[in-house]
C-alpha cells in the first residue's frame, strides 16, 4: 500500500497540512487582536453609523433599497437551490460564502433602515446623529463586507480558473458531464459570477471605511471551512474539491497557496477601493469645476 493509499484508507490528514491550516488560523487571530496597519487601536469600532448606512453616490434610502433587493434576490436563489438539491449543497465553500453574503445584505439592510429612522427622529440634533459611533450590528456589517468582498474574488476566480479546468480533465466522460451540469446553471452563475457584481455594486454605493486588519476574519472564515473539510473527509472519505485532497504529495503547497491567494485577492480589494476613490474624486472635481464655470456665467 502506497503512502497516498494509506492516507485515503485510514482517512488521515497529514501533519504538514494540519500545520499549514493551524499557522493560517494563528495568523488570522494575530491580525484580529493586534490590528496591524490600523490608524487606531479601535479598528472598525472607530467607524460611524452614518458611514455604514450612507451612500457615496446617492441617498441612504437608495442604498437601503439596493441592499434589500440584493438580499431578496440572493435569498430566492438559495431557496431554489436548496429545494432542488437539499442539504448536500451546504458542504460547498461556495455555498458557505453565498449564505454569508445573504447574512451581510440582511444585516446591512437592517442597519440602513434603523439608522435612517434614527436620523429622521433626530432632526434637531443633526451633528450628533451624523457622529453616532458604530454599534455591534454596524461592526458585524463592516466585518462581513470585508469578508464577502474578498471571498467573491476567491470563489469566482478559483472556480473558473482552477476548479473547472481540473474537473473537465477527468478521464470519465460521465463525470465531466455531471460537473458541467453542476457549474453551468442558473444558481451556479449567481454564486460564481453575479455574486461579484452584487458586491462591487455595494462597494461603489456605500461609504464603509477600509480596515486592512479585517483580512484576519477572512483567513479565519476559510480556516473554519478547512477544518470542516477535514471532518467531512474523516466521515465520508471524500474531498469536496480536488485541490483540497490532503493525500496528494503537493497538498502542503496547495494549502499554502490557498492562504497566499487570500493576500493576493485582498490586494485586489484594495485596488478596487482605490479605483472607487479615484472615480469619485474625478466626478467631484468635475462637478466643482462645472459649478465654478456656471457661477462665472451668472
Amino acid at each position: 500500500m502506497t503512502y497516498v493509499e494509506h492516507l485515503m484508507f485510514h482517512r488521515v490528514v497529514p501533519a504538514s497540512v494540519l500545520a499549514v491550516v493551524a499557522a493560517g488560523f494563528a495568523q488570522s487571530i494575530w491580525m484580529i487582536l493586534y490590528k496591524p496597519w490600523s490608524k487606531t487601536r479601535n479598528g472598525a469600532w472607530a467607524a460611524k453609523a452614518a458611514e455604514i448606512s450612507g451612500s457615496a453616490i446617492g441617498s441612504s434610502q437608495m442604498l437601503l433599497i439596493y441592499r434589500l433587493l440584493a438580499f431578496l434576490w440572493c435569498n430566492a436563489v438559495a431557496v431554489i437551490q436548496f429545494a432542488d438539491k437539499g442539504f448536500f449543497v451546504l458542504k460547498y465553500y461556495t455555498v458557505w460564502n453565498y449564505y454569508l453574503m445573504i447574512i451581510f445584505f440582511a444585516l446591512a439592510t437592517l442597519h440602513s433602515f434603523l439608522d435612517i429612522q434614527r436620523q429622521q427622529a433626530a432632526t434637531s440634533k443633526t451633528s450628533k446623529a451624523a457622529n453616532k459611533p458604530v454599534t455591534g450590528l454596524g461592526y458585524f456589517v463592516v466585518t462581513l463586507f470585508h469578508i464577502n468582498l474578498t471571498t467573491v474574488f476567491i470563489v469566482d476566480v478559483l472556480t473558473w480558473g482552477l476548479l473547472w479546468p481540473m474537473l473537465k480533465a477527468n478521464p470519465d466522460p460521465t463525470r465531466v458531464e455531471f460537473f458541467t451540469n453542476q457549474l453551468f446553471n442558473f444558481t451556479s452563475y449567481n454564486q460564481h459570477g453575479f455574486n461579484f457584481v452584487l458586491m462591487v455594486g455595494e462597494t461603489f454605493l456605500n461609504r464603509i471605511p477600509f480596515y486592512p486588519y479585517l483580512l484576519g476574519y477572512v483567513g479565519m472564515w476559510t480556516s473554519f471551512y478547512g477544518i470542516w473539510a477535514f471532518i467531512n473527509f474523516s466521515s465520508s472519505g471524500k474531498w469536496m474539491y480536488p485541490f483540497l485532497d490532503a493525500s496528494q504529495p503537493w497538498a502542503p503547497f496547495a494549502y499554502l497557496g490557498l492562504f497566499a491567494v487570500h493576500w493576493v485577492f485582498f490586494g485586489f480589494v484594495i485596488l478596487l477601493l482605490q479605483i472607487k476613490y479615484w472615480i469619485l474624486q474625478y466626478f467631484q472635481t468635475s462637478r466643482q469645476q462645472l459649478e465654478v464655470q456656471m457661477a462665472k456665467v451668472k
Side-chain angles (χ1 to χ4, degrees):
M1 181 180 293
T2 66
Y3 176 70
V4 172
E5 291 173 339
H6 171 78
L7 294 177
M8 292 297 294
F9 180 79
H10 294 284
R11 300 179 183 179
V12 177
V13 178
S16 56
V17 173
L18 292 175
V20 171
V21 175
F25 190 81
Q27 182 194 56
S28 300
I29 294 294
W30 174 80
M31 292 187 68
I32 294 170
L33 292 178
Y34 291 95
K35 301 178 179 61
W37 312 299
S38 293
K39 296 180 180 179
T40 67
R41 294 305 303 165
N42 291 330
W45 286 105
K48 303 300 180 184
E51 293 176 322
I52 303 171
S53 62
S55 175
I57 61 175
S59 65
S60 298
Q61 288 79 4
M62 182 182 70
L63 180 59
L64 168 62
I65 293 172
Y66 178 86
R67 287 170 167 174
L68 176 60
L69 291 177
F71 165 71
L72 293 175
W73 177 264
C74 294
N75 201 53
V77 171
V79 169
I80 292 172
Q81 184 185 51
F82 190 81
D84 181 40
K85 299 181 180 179
F87 286 98
F88 180 76
V89 297
L90 301 179
K91 294 184 177 183
Y92 291 102
Y93 183 67
T94 291
V95 177
W96 277 42
N97 285 287
Y98 199 72
Y99 280 30
L100 192 68
M101 189 171 71
I102 293 175
I103 294 172
F104 163 73
F105 279 119
L107 295 181
T109 300
L110 177 60
H111 186 281
S112 288
F113 176 77
L114 293 177
D115 198 56
I116 290 172
Q117 294 296 310
R118 178 184 58 79
Q119 291 188 35
Q120 291 177 346
T123 53
S124 61
K125 303 176 181 178
T126 307
S127 61
K128 290 184 178 180
N131 293 319
K132 187 178 185 299
V134 69
T135 61
L137 174 61
Y139 184 84
F140 277 119
V141 172
V142 173
T143 302
L144 290 176
F145 171 69
H146 284 71
I147 295 175
N148 282 287
L149 186 56
T150 306
T151 55
V152 292
F153 276 103
I154 297 171
V155 168
D156 294 359
V157 173
L158 289 187
T159 295
W160 301 114
L162 177 63
L163 179 61
W164 171 237
M166 294 181 72
L167 294 178
K168 71 178 181 179
N170 193 298
D172 186 351
T174 59
R175 296 298 295 168
V176 174
E177 182 180 3
F178 171 77
F179 296 139
T180 301
N181 294 332
Q182 293 296 307
L183 282 177
F184 293 88
N185 57 64
F186 174 75
T187 55
S188 176
Y189 295 148
N190 275 274
Q191 295 177 341
H192 302 110
F194 195 60
N195 58 337
F196 177 78
V197 176
L198 290 174
M199 287 307 302
V200 170
E202 166 71 25
T203 300
F204 277 84
L205 284 173
N206 71 32
R207 292 171 47 206
I208 295 178
F210 176 64
Y211 300 97
Y213 83 92
L214 291 178
L215 175 61
Y217 285 105
V218 181
M220 182 180 293
W221 172 250
T222 304
S223 296
F224 284 148
Y225 184 81
I227 294 170
W228 180 89
F230 296 158
I231 296 173
N232 180 68
F233 169 71
S234 66
S235 61
S236 67
K238 297 179 180 179
W239 294 100
M240 297 307 299
Y241 297 99
F243 50 78
L244 290 182
D245 188 348
S247 65
Q248 298 299 324
W250 42 258
F253 303 101
Y255 278 79
L256 276 173
L258 288 174
F259 277 104
V261 159
H262 285 71
W263 286 94
V264 172
F265 287 112
F266 206 65
F268 280 114
V269 168
I270 296 173
L271 177 61
L272 178 65
L273 291 172
Q274 190 61 55
I275 292 173
K276 168 190 172 179
Y277 298 145
W278 285 335
I279 293 175
L280 293 177
Q281 186 177 22
Y282 172 78
F283 281 104
Q284 183 178 11
T285 303
S286 299
R287 180 180 178 182
Q288 291 173 348
Q289 291 174 347
L290 180 61
E291 290 176 349
V292 170
Q293 293 173 356
M294 292 299 293
K296 289 180 179 180
V297 172
K298 293 179 180 179

